[in-house]
């Protein structure tokens, strides 16, 4: 039970980029630390939400490809994680996914 997570649903999905399918590029994770086991209703909802996200991410990949742009990810490095959640984080501070620019 890492970080108190007792129950989880993981919905992996890929996109097509540069003419090739890239499986597992993204995934949706729903986690619970208490309560009942996830049922078929939650699993179906997670899969449906994964399909919506896959469509959005696929559209973004196609737009980047069409413009010959590269998506640069500057967050989610080890340093970023340690700053947000590790020993560098302030005691009692709320975790956030915003970057240094508040985005």
């Amino acid at each position: 039970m890492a970080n108190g997570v007792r129950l989880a649903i993981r919905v992996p999905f890929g996109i097509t980029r540069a003419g090739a399918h890239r499986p597992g590029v993204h995934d949706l994770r729903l986690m619970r630390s208490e309560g009942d086991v996830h049922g078929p209703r939650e699993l179906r909802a997670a899969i449906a939400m994964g399909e919506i996200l896959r469509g959005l991410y696929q559209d973004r990949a196609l737009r980047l490809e069409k413009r010959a742009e590269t998506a640069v990810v500057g967050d989610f490095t080890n340093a970023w994680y340690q700053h947000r959640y590790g020993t560098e984080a302030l005691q009692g501070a709320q975790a956030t996914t915003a970057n240094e620019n508040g985005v």
Side-chain angles (χ1 to χ4, degrees):
M1 284 198 302
N3 299 314
V5 174
R6 191 170 69 86
L7 304 164
I9 294 176
R10 180 176 177 255
V11 181
F13 52 94
I15 60 172
T16 300
R17 180 86 171 144
H21 182 67
R22 313 285 185 196
V25 170
H26 300 286
D27 68 25
L28 169 66
R29 295 176 189 217
L30 305 173
M31 295 172 257
R32 247 184 220 169
S33 59
E34 58 187 42
D36 295 333
V37 173
H38 296 290
R41 182 176 168 187
E42 286 111 343
L43 181 58
R44 283 192 294 272
I47 292 169
M49 197 64 201
E51 282 300 305
I52 291 168
L53 290 172
R54 186 198 57 73
L56 292 171
Y57 293 143
Q58 181 64 65
D59 184 62
R60 174 71 173 148
L62 291 173
R63 283 187 284 130
L64 287 171
E65 200 168 284
K66 190 180 277 187
R67 295 182 196 157
E69 292 180 28
T70 302
V72 177
V73 179
D75 292 331
F76 310 109
T77 62
N78 187 38
W80 174 90
Y81 182 87
Q82 292 303 325
H83 178 73
R84 291 283 189 266
Y85 304 106
T87 55
E88 296 177 23
L90 297 174
Q91 293 294 334
Q94 287 289 338
T96 178
T97 56
N99 66 18
E100 292 74 29
N101 299 321
V103 180

